[in-house]
Amino acid sequence: MAAPAVFALLLALVDGDRHGYALMRDVEELSDGVVRMGPGTLYRSLQRMRVDGLVEELADATEDEPADRRAERRRGYRLTAAGRRAVEDEARRLARLVEVAERKGVPAREAARGRPG
């Protein structure tokens, strides 16, 4: 997985179901403001992640509601089992890279802790 935004979205969903606005806010917070997503980027990413089986969209509207009311509802998302495996795999991959960086004398953990927040 190469996209920091996808990893941040998966990481935000580890704590439970989220709707789009909460995901935008969580991603920005998790990344210390490095990753900021507008609605278009967010929903395109979530759509791609849904197609890839990493997340599922939650159905929270009932079929007997008028279509315009269903469209107004917030879209919620949940991590799938495949999404959970993907976020765990990526976390392990990043941890290995940090270990390599530190063996090479790059103070990666200290740099991350000292980052302005």
Side-chain angles (χ1 to χ4, degrees):
M1 182 183 322
V6 171
F7 180 61
L9 283 166
L10 291 172
L11 203 52
L13 286 165
V14 165
D15 292 331
D17 303 346
R18 296 279 192 280
H19 58 81
Y21 178 76
L23 282 168
M24 283 191 291
R25 190 183 59 233
D26 290 351
V27 163
E28 187 171 344
E29 184 179 314
L30 286 168
S31 70
D32 290 329
V34 172
V35 179
R36 293 182 184 186
M37 304 181 89
T41 302
L42 172 74
Y43 289 108
R44 278 191 303 276
S45 296
L46 287 167
Q47 174 64 15
R48 198 168 45 252
M49 293 164 66
R50 191 183 64 72
V51 168
D52 291 344
L54 302 175
V55 299
E56 61 184 357
E57 189 172 340
L58 303 176
D60 74 343
T62 61
E63 288 303 314
D64 58 346
E65 280 187 291
D68 60 334
R69 286 276 317 229
R70 287 194 304 260
E72 292 173 9
R73 289 191 177 271
R74 294 178 179 174
R75 287 189 258 180
Y77 296 88
R78 171 179 296 147
L79 198 60
T80 63
R84 179 68 188 216
R85 283 190 304 275
V87 74
E88 289 172 355
D89 290 348
E90 181 66 357
R92 280 191 291 274
R93 185 186 76 80
L94 293 171
R96 285 190 302 270
L97 287 174
V98 167
E99 289 172 7
V100 169
E102 289 183 336
R103 280 197 310 268
K104 292 181 174 278
V106 178
R109 283 185 176 85
E110 292 170 16
R113 280 192 291 269
R115 187 179 195 165

